[in-house]
Amino acid sequence: MILKSNQNTLSFIGNKLSKTLPFFNGLLLLAAISLPALSLPRNTSLVIRDSPKEVLDQVWQIIYREYLDSNGNYNDESWLKLRKKVLSNKYYDSAEAYEAIVSMLKSLKDPYTRFLDPKDYKEMRIDTSGELMGIGIQLSLNEETNELVIVAPIEDTPAFKAGIQPNDIIVSIDDTDTDGMSIDGAVKLIRGEKGTKVTLGIIRGTQYLKVPLIRSRIEIRSVISRLNETSNGGTIGYIRLKQFSANAATEMRSAIIKLEEQKSQGYILDLRGNPGGLLEASIDIARQWLNTGIIVSTLTKDGINDFRRATGNALTNKPLVVLVNEGSASASEILAGAIQDNKRGILVGSKTFGKGLVQSVRPLVDGSGITVTVAKYLTPNGTDINKNGIKPDIKASLNLNNNKSFSAIDLGTSKDSQYVVAETALSRIMFNLNSTSYKQNTANLSFALK
């Protein structure tokens, strides 16, 4: 997720504007920042100040100036005509204006550009302390099918323990059908008090499952690390990054420094099931691995206007393999793409989720707000990740068919088939290639291991 802030805007890349329940977005980890209302010029021929029309006009102008159309449904001329139409109507209270705003935004057919009434906006502006109340899933909306899709369960949460998987489709919440339901609508139904029960109807492939879950308080540690020994006597630093929270970069730095002190000969960075998080965390973490090169670029309606680069402050230059899967999204894809395109390491696993849109959360004059798609991000080589994802250099699947007892504690061990492939790749780099030829040979090595 991209999260940037200045006095007028709060921006993020969300996993398809995903929402981890409740109040936690893979790329929607919003800090509790008080932001002033946006000041925009007004049409003096229309008296809208201090009226329900003021907030409506503010929304219109934000879209006009900043919206990045990713699906071909926006047209400047039509949008200008729409302004005249909506401002010529009478609105007797905020509720009527809100209805007009929702209708106006629906014409964009972008599920991630949406209106938030004051209550919803207040709930969105939460603390990124790493603790939340809920069931621990990250939810997205499929743009083509309009289905509610689970990006990934958060490790050690009720959803994770119940066996919820990436790409599970939620078709019901308790007794309510989710057909046509928005992300916010689903959140309101799933949210509840600690200890209460909610049942999700899930479609997984051709299976229909009913999954009962007990809501709970969830504490999240972003980084888990340890020193693993290889079969030939080498040492590997295994680092699992669960999410890009506000403290993730600090935790990553501590983990790398400790493993360097323990004489790790190489690293496996595990981004599987990581739904994303703060952009600044992903940039900071990328700089801990990369000495040079572009990390990510951002494309707005006015073209590419932002490049984020490494700063020559990498904490290690030892061989690196990154584990990814279909639950690796957004900020995870930024980091994985930067490592792959700069030939800093190789990717092992399965294709990533494919989320590359940037939303900006904008406060409005009456305490409401909107999220608006303002950009998309590209990998250093200019690859558009959105909907496409990132392909690993070495494909590997997590085979659980013969291991029904596999759990989170088995990740990064010999029971983890993807980790075994990653360890094999890393061992070959560590013991068959010298440090000066590492960069030039990682690409060739990936093909040799397929």
Side-chain angles (χ1 to χ4, degrees), residues 306-357:
D306 185 34
F307 289 89
R308 308 301 294 274
R309 301 175 183 273
T311 54
N313 296 310
L315 300 178
T316 180
N317 63 355
K318 291 175 182 173
L320 173 65
V321 172
V322 181
L323 279 166
V324 295
N325 67 0
E326 62 276 8
S328 305
S330 203
S332 291
E333 293 169 296
I334 289 177
L335 179 57
I339 289 170
Q340 186 181 59
D341 285 3
N342 285 290
K343 300 190 186 308
R344 173 62 181 89
I346 59 175
L347 273 54
V348 172
S350 53
K351 190 175 74 169
T352 61
F353 188 80
K355 171 63 177 92
L357 295 179

Short mmCIF file of all heavy atoms in Angstrom, two decimals, residues 306-357:
data_model
loop_
_atom_site.label_atom_id
_atom_site.label_comp_id
_atom_site.label_asym_id
_atom_site.label_seq_id
_atom_site.Cartn_x
_atom_site.Cartn_y
_atom_site.Cartn_z
N ASP A 306 7.17 10.28 -10.05
CA ASP A 306 7.82 9.98 -8.79
C ASP A 306 8.62 8.69 -8.91
O ASP A 306 8.07 7.66 -9.31
CB ASP A 306 6.77 9.85 -7.67
CG ASP A 306 7.40 9.65 -6.31
OD1 ASP A 306 8.48 10.21 -6.08
OD2 ASP A 306 6.81 8.93 -5.48
N PHE A 307 9.91 8.76 -8.64
CA PHE A 307 10.77 7.59 -8.59
C PHE A 307 11.36 7.48 -7.19
O PHE A 307 11.86 8.47 -6.65
CB PHE A 307 11.93 7.71 -9.60
CG PHE A 307 11.52 7.59 -11.04
CD1 PHE A 307 11.14 8.72 -11.75
CD2 PHE A 307 11.52 6.36 -11.68
CE1 PHE A 307 10.77 8.62 -13.09
CE2 PHE A 307 11.13 6.26 -13.00
CZ PHE A 307 10.76 7.38 -13.71
N ARG A 308 11.27 6.31 -6.61
CA ARG A 308 11.91 6.08 -5.31
C ARG A 308 13.11 5.18 -5.55
O ARG A 308 12.99 4.13 -6.19
CB ARG A 308 10.92 5.42 -4.34
CG ARG A 308 9.59 6.17 -4.22
CD ARG A 308 9.75 7.61 -3.74
NE ARG A 308 10.25 7.68 -2.39
CZ ARG A 308 9.48 7.62 -1.31
NH1 ARG A 308 8.16 7.50 -1.43
NH2 ARG A 308 10.01 7.71 -0.10
N ARG A 309 14.25 5.55 -4.97
CA ARG A 309 15.51 4.87 -5.26
C ARG A 309 16.20 4.38 -3.99
O ARG A 309 15.94 4.88 -2.90
CB ARG A 309 16.46 5.82 -6.00
CG ARG A 309 15.91 6.35 -7.32
CD ARG A 309 16.85 7.37 -7.94
NE ARG A 309 16.31 7.94 -9.16
CZ ARG A 309 16.46 7.40 -10.37
NH1 ARG A 309 17.18 6.29 -10.51
NH2 ARG A 309 15.93 7.96 -11.44
N ALA A 310 17.11 3.42 -4.19
CA ALA A 310 17.98 2.99 -3.11
C ALA A 310 18.95 4.12 -2.79
O ALA A 310 19.22 4.98 -3.64
CB ALA A 310 18.74 1.73 -3.51
N THR A 311 19.48 4.13 -1.57
CA THR A 311 20.32 5.24 -1.12
C THR A 311 21.73 4.82 -0.72
O THR A 311 22.44 5.57 -0.06
CB THR A 311 19.66 5.95 0.07
OG1 THR A 311 19.37 4.98 1.10
CG2 THR A 311 18.36 6.64 -0.36
N GLY A 312 22.13 3.60 -1.12
CA GLY A 312 23.49 3.16 -0.81
C GLY A 312 23.69 2.74 0.63
O GLY A 312 24.83 2.71 1.11
N ASN A 313 22.61 2.41 1.33
CA ASN A 313 22.71 2.07 2.75
C ASN A 313 22.24 0.66 3.06
O ASN A 313 21.71 0.39 4.14
CB ASN A 313 21.89 3.08 3.58
CG ASN A 313 22.44 4.48 3.48
OD1 ASN A 313 23.63 4.70 3.67
ND2 ASN A 313 21.58 5.44 3.17
N ALA A 314 22.43 -0.27 2.13
CA ALA A 314 22.01 -1.65 2.36
C ALA A 314 22.74 -2.23 3.56
O ALA A 314 23.92 -1.92 3.80
CB ALA A 314 22.28 -2.49 1.12
N LEU A 315 22.05 -3.06 4.32
CA LEU A 315 22.64 -3.66 5.52
C LEU A 315 23.43 -4.92 5.21
O LEU A 315 24.24 -5.37 6.04
CB LEU A 315 21.53 -3.98 6.53
CG LEU A 315 20.69 -2.81 7.02
CD1 LEU A 315 19.60 -3.29 7.97
CD2 LEU A 315 21.57 -1.77 7.70
N THR A 316 23.21 -5.50 4.04
CA THR A 316 23.94 -6.70 3.63
C THR A 316 23.93 -6.80 2.11
O THR A 316 23.00 -6.31 1.46
CB THR A 316 23.31 -7.98 4.24
OG1 THR A 316 24.05 -9.13 3.81
CG2 THR A 316 21.86 -8.13 3.81
N ASN A 317 24.98 -7.41 1.57
CA ASN A 317 25.01 -7.69 0.13
C ASN A 317 25.08 -9.19 -0.13
O ASN A 317 25.40 -9.62 -1.23
CB ASN A 317 26.20 -6.98 -0.53
CG ASN A 317 27.54 -7.49 0.00
OD1 ASN A 317 27.58 -8.30 0.93
ND2 ASN A 317 28.64 -7.01 -0.56
N LYS A 318 24.75 -9.98 0.89
CA LYS A 318 24.83 -11.43 0.75
C LYS A 318 23.67 -11.95 -0.10
O LYS A 318 22.64 -11.28 -0.24
CB LYS A 318 24.83 -12.08 2.13
CG LYS A 318 26.13 -11.80 2.88
CD LYS A 318 26.10 -12.33 4.29
CE LYS A 318 27.41 -11.97 5.01
NZ LYS A 318 27.37 -12.33 6.45
N PRO A 319 23.84 -13.14 -0.70
CA PRO A 319 22.81 -13.70 -1.60
C PRO A 319 21.42 -13.72 -0.96
O PRO A 319 21.28 -13.96 0.24
CB PRO A 319 23.33 -15.11 -1.87
CG PRO A 319 24.81 -15.01 -1.71
CD PRO A 319 25.02 -14.02 -0.60
N LEU A 320 20.42 -13.50 -1.80
CA LEU A 320 19.05 -13.35 -1.32
C LEU A 320 18.07 -14.11 -2.22
O LEU A 320 18.14 -14.01 -3.45
CB LEU A 320 18.68 -11.87 -1.29
CG LEU A 320 17.23 -11.49 -0.98
CD1 LEU A 320 16.86 -11.91 0.45
CD2 LEU A 320 17.01 -10.00 -1.19
N VAL A 321 17.15 -14.85 -1.60
CA VAL A 321 16.02 -15.45 -2.30
C VAL A 321 14.74 -14.98 -1.61
O VAL A 321 14.68 -14.93 -0.38
CB VAL A 321 16.10 -17.00 -2.26
CG1 VAL A 321 14.82 -17.62 -2.82
CG2 VAL A 321 17.30 -17.49 -3.05
N VAL A 322 13.74 -14.63 -2.41
CA VAL A 322 12.47 -14.12 -1.88
C VAL A 322 11.37 -15.11 -2.20
O VAL A 322 11.19 -15.51 -3.35
CB VAL A 322 12.14 -12.74 -2.48
CG1 VAL A 322 10.83 -12.21 -1.88
CG2 VAL A 322 13.27 -11.75 -2.22
N LEU A 323 10.62 -15.51 -1.17
CA LEU A 323 9.47 -16.40 -1.34
C LEU A 323 8.20 -15.57 -1.53
O LEU A 323 7.92 -14.67 -0.73
CB LEU A 323 9.31 -17.30 -0.12
CG LEU A 323 10.21 -18.53 -0.05
CD1 LEU A 323 10.19 -19.13 1.36
CD2 LEU A 323 9.79 -19.58 -1.07
N VAL A 324 7.43 -15.86 -2.59
CA VAL A 324 6.18 -15.14 -2.87
C VAL A 324 5.10 -16.15 -3.24
O VAL A 324 5.38 -17.28 -3.65
CB VAL A 324 6.34 -14.12 -4.02
CG1 VAL A 324 7.29 -13.01 -3.63
CG2 VAL A 324 6.83 -14.82 -5.29
N ASN A 325 3.84 -15.72 -3.08
CA ASN A 325 2.72 -16.54 -3.54
C ASN A 325 1.56 -15.63 -3.91
O ASN A 325 1.69 -14.40 -3.96
CB ASN A 325 2.33 -17.59 -2.50
CG ASN A 325 1.75 -16.98 -1.23
OD1 ASN A 325 1.62 -15.77 -1.10
ND2 ASN A 325 1.38 -17.84 -0.29
N GLU A 326 0.39 -16.24 -4.16
CA GLU A 326 -0.77 -15.47 -4.60
C GLU A 326 -1.30 -14.53 -3.52
O GLU A 326 -2.10 -13.64 -3.80
CB GLU A 326 -1.88 -16.41 -5.06
CG GLU A 326 -2.41 -17.34 -3.98
CD GLU A 326 -1.59 -18.60 -3.80
OE1 GLU A 326 -0.49 -18.70 -4.40
OE2 GLU A 326 -2.04 -19.49 -3.05
N GLY A 327 -0.86 -14.71 -2.28
CA GLY A 327 -1.25 -13.81 -1.20
C GLY A 327 -0.27 -12.67 -0.98
O GLY A 327 -0.48 -11.85 -0.10
N SER A 328 0.79 -12.62 -1.77
CA SER A 328 1.76 -11.51 -1.69
C SER A 328 1.23 -10.37 -2.55
O SER A 328 1.15 -10.50 -3.76
CB SER A 328 3.14 -11.95 -2.20
OG SER A 328 3.59 -13.10 -1.51
N ALA A 329 0.88 -9.26 -1.92
CA ALA A 329 0.19 -8.20 -2.67
C ALA A 329 0.77 -6.83 -2.37
O ALA A 329 1.38 -6.60 -1.32
CB ALA A 329 -1.30 -8.22 -2.34
N SER A 330 0.59 -5.93 -3.33
CA SER A 330 0.83 -4.51 -3.19
C SER A 330 2.22 -4.17 -2.70
O SER A 330 3.17 -4.27 -3.45
CB SER A 330 -0.24 -3.91 -2.29
OG SER A 330 -0.37 -2.56 -2.55
N ALA A 331 2.39 -3.77 -1.43
CA ALA A 331 3.72 -3.42 -0.94
C ALA A 331 4.67 -4.60 -1.06
O ALA A 331 5.87 -4.42 -1.30
CB ALA A 331 3.64 -2.93 0.50
N SER A 332 4.16 -5.82 -0.91
CA SER A 332 4.99 -7.00 -1.12
C SER A 332 5.47 -7.07 -2.56
O SER A 332 6.62 -7.45 -2.84
CB SER A 332 4.20 -8.28 -0.79
OG SER A 332 3.95 -8.38 0.58
N GLU A 333 4.60 -6.68 -3.48
CA GLU A 333 4.96 -6.70 -4.90
C GLU A 333 5.95 -5.60 -5.24
O GLU A 333 6.80 -5.76 -6.12
CB GLU A 333 3.70 -6.61 -5.75
CG GLU A 333 2.83 -7.86 -5.62
CD GLU A 333 1.45 -7.72 -6.23
OE1 GLU A 333 0.66 -6.88 -5.74
OE2 GLU A 333 1.16 -8.44 -7.19
N ILE A 334 5.87 -4.47 -4.54
CA ILE A 334 6.86 -3.41 -4.72
C ILE A 334 8.24 -3.94 -4.35
O ILE A 334 9.21 -3.79 -5.10
CB ILE A 334 6.51 -2.18 -3.87
CG1 ILE A 334 5.29 -1.45 -4.43
CG2 ILE A 334 7.70 -1.22 -3.79
CD1 ILE A 334 4.85 -0.28 -3.60
N LEU A 335 8.33 -4.55 -3.18
CA LEU A 335 9.62 -5.07 -2.70
C LEU A 335 10.13 -6.20 -3.58
O LEU A 335 11.31 -6.21 -3.99
CB LEU A 335 9.49 -5.53 -1.25
CG LEU A 335 10.73 -6.13 -0.59
CD1 LEU A 335 11.89 -5.14 -0.64
CD2 LEU A 335 10.43 -6.52 0.85
N ALA A 336 9.25 -7.15 -3.91
CA ALA A 336 9.67 -8.28 -4.74
C ALA A 336 10.10 -7.81 -6.12
O ALA A 336 11.10 -8.28 -6.68
CB ALA A 336 8.53 -9.29 -4.85
N GLY A 337 9.34 -6.87 -6.70
CA GLY A 337 9.69 -6.35 -8.03
C GLY A 337 11.00 -5.62 -8.03
O GLY A 337 11.79 -5.72 -8.98
N ALA A 338 11.28 -4.86 -6.97
CA ALA A 338 12.55 -4.12 -6.87
C ALA A 338 13.72 -5.08 -6.79
O ALA A 338 14.76 -4.87 -7.44
CB ALA A 338 12.51 -3.21 -5.65
N ILE A 339 13.57 -6.14 -6.01
CA ILE A 339 14.66 -7.12 -5.87
C ILE A 339 14.87 -7.88 -7.17
O ILE A 339 16.01 -8.11 -7.61
CB ILE A 339 14.35 -8.07 -4.70
CG1 ILE A 339 14.51 -7.31 -3.37
CG2 ILE A 339 15.25 -9.29 -4.74
CD1 ILE A 339 14.02 -8.05 -2.16
N GLN A 340 13.79 -8.26 -7.82
CA GLN A 340 13.90 -9.01 -9.07
C GLN A 340 14.47 -8.16 -10.20
O GLN A 340 15.41 -8.58 -10.89
CB GLN A 340 12.53 -9.56 -9.46
CG GLN A 340 12.55 -10.48 -10.68
CD GLN A 340 11.16 -10.97 -11.04
OE1 GLN A 340 10.26 -10.18 -11.32
NE2 GLN A 340 10.96 -12.28 -11.03
N ASP A 341 13.92 -6.98 -10.41
CA ASP A 341 14.36 -6.15 -11.53
C ASP A 341 15.78 -5.64 -11.37
O ASP A 341 16.50 -5.43 -12.36
CB ASP A 341 13.41 -4.95 -11.71
CG ASP A 341 12.09 -5.35 -12.36
OD1 ASP A 341 11.90 -6.56 -12.61
OD2 ASP A 341 11.26 -4.46 -12.61
N ASN A 342 16.22 -5.43 -10.15
CA ASN A 342 17.60 -4.98 -9.90
C ASN A 342 18.57 -6.15 -9.78
O ASN A 342 19.75 -5.94 -9.49
CB ASN A 342 17.65 -4.14 -8.63
CG ASN A 342 17.09 -2.74 -8.83
OD1 ASN A 342 17.69 -1.91 -9.51
ND2 ASN A 342 15.92 -2.48 -8.26
N LYS A 343 18.08 -7.37 -10.02
CA LYS A 343 18.90 -8.58 -9.94
C LYS A 343 19.62 -8.71 -8.60
O LYS A 343 20.74 -9.21 -8.53
CB LYS A 343 19.90 -8.65 -11.11
CG LYS A 343 19.24 -8.65 -12.48
CD LYS A 343 20.23 -8.96 -13.57
CE LYS A 343 19.61 -8.83 -14.96
NZ LYS A 343 18.37 -9.57 -15.13
N ARG A 344 18.95 -8.25 -7.55
CA ARG A 344 19.52 -8.38 -6.21
C ARG A 344 19.28 -9.78 -5.65
O ARG A 344 20.01 -10.24 -4.77
CB ARG A 344 18.87 -7.33 -5.28
CG ARG A 344 19.23 -7.44 -3.81
CD ARG A 344 20.72 -7.25 -3.58
NE ARG A 344 21.05 -7.39 -2.16
CZ ARG A 344 21.37 -8.53 -1.56
NH1 ARG A 344 21.36 -9.67 -2.26
NH2 ARG A 344 21.67 -8.55 -0.27
N GLY A 345 18.26 -10.45 -6.14
CA GLY A 345 17.95 -11.79 -5.68
C GLY A 345 16.98 -12.45 -6.63
O GLY A 345 16.57 -11.85 -7.63
N ILE A 346 16.61 -13.68 -6.36
CA ILE A 346 15.65 -14.40 -7.20
C ILE A 346 14.39 -14.68 -6.42
O ILE A 346 14.40 -14.78 -5.19
CB ILE A 346 16.25 -15.70 -7.77
CG1 ILE A 346 16.69 -16.64 -6.64
CG2 ILE A 346 17.40 -15.40 -8.70
CD1 ILE A 346 17.16 -17.99 -7.14
N LEU A 347 13.26 -14.78 -7.15
CA LEU A 347 11.95 -15.04 -6.55
C LEU A 347 11.57 -16.49 -6.73
O LEU A 347 11.72 -17.05 -7.84
CB LEU A 347 10.90 -14.14 -7.19
CG LEU A 347 10.69 -12.74 -6.60
CD1 LEU A 347 11.98 -11.95 -6.51
CD2 LEU A 347 9.65 -11.97 -7.40
N VAL A 348 11.08 -17.10 -5.67
CA VAL A 348 10.65 -18.50 -5.68
C VAL A 348 9.21 -18.57 -5.18
O VAL A 348 8.84 -17.88 -4.23
CB VAL A 348 11.55 -19.36 -4.78
CG1 VAL A 348 10.98 -20.78 -4.63
CG2 VAL A 348 12.97 -19.43 -5.35
N GLY A 349 8.39 -19.40 -5.80
CA GLY A 349 7.02 -19.59 -5.35
C GLY A 349 6.03 -19.54 -6.49
O GLY A 349 6.24 -20.16 -7.53
N SER A 350 4.94 -18.78 -6.31
CA SER A 350 3.91 -18.65 -7.34
C SER A 350 3.64 -17.18 -7.62
O SER A 350 4.09 -16.30 -6.88
CB SER A 350 2.61 -19.34 -6.89
OG SER A 350 2.20 -18.88 -5.62
N LYS A 351 2.91 -16.90 -8.70
CA LYS A 351 2.65 -15.53 -9.12
C LYS A 351 1.93 -14.75 -8.03
O LYS A 351 1.04 -15.26 -7.37
CB LYS A 351 1.83 -15.52 -10.41
CG LYS A 351 1.72 -14.13 -11.04
CD LYS A 351 1.00 -14.19 -12.37
CE LYS A 351 -0.48 -14.39 -12.21
NZ LYS A 351 -1.23 -14.19 -13.46
N THR A 352 2.32 -13.49 -7.86
CA THR A 352 1.75 -12.66 -6.80
C THR A 352 0.35 -12.17 -7.15
O THR A 352 -0.14 -12.38 -8.26
CB THR A 352 2.67 -11.47 -6.51
OG1 THR A 352 2.79 -10.66 -7.70
CG2 THR A 352 4.06 -11.93 -6.08
N PHE A 353 -0.28 -11.50 -6.21
CA PHE A 353 -1.69 -11.15 -6.30
C PHE A 353 -2.04 -10.23 -7.47
O PHE A 353 -3.02 -10.42 -8.16
CB PHE A 353 -2.12 -10.49 -4.99
CG PHE A 353 -3.60 -10.25 -4.87
CD1 PHE A 353 -4.45 -11.26 -4.51
CD2 PHE A 353 -4.14 -8.99 -5.12
CE1 PHE A 353 -5.82 -11.05 -4.40
CE2 PHE A 353 -5.50 -8.76 -5.01
CZ PHE A 353 -6.33 -9.80 -4.65
N GLY A 354 -1.24 -9.19 -7.68
CA GLY A 354 -1.49 -8.26 -8.78
C GLY A 354 -2.30 -7.06 -8.40
O GLY A 354 -3.40 -6.83 -8.91
N LYS A 355 -1.78 -6.25 -7.46
CA LYS A 355 -2.46 -5.02 -7.04
C LYS A 355 -1.51 -3.86 -7.19
O LYS A 355 -0.51 -3.78 -6.50
CB LYS A 355 -2.94 -5.14 -5.59
CG LYS A 355 -3.44 -3.82 -5.01
CD LYS A 355 -4.66 -3.30 -5.76
CE LYS A 355 -5.19 -2.03 -5.15
NZ LYS A 355 -4.63 -0.83 -5.76
N GLY A 356 -1.83 -2.94 -8.09
CA GLY A 356 -0.92 -1.83 -8.32
C GLY A 356 -1.57 -0.48 -8.39
O GLY A 356 -0.98 0.45 -8.93
N LEU A 357 -2.79 -0.34 -7.88
CA LEU A 357 -3.45 0.96 -7.91
C LEU A 357 -3.19 1.72 -6.61
O LEU A 357 -3.09 1.13 -5.54
CB LEU A 357 -4.95 0.80 -8.12
CG LEU A 357 -5.39 0.22 -9.46
CD1 LEU A 357 -6.90 0.10 -9.49
CD2 LEU A 357 -4.89 1.06 -10.62
#
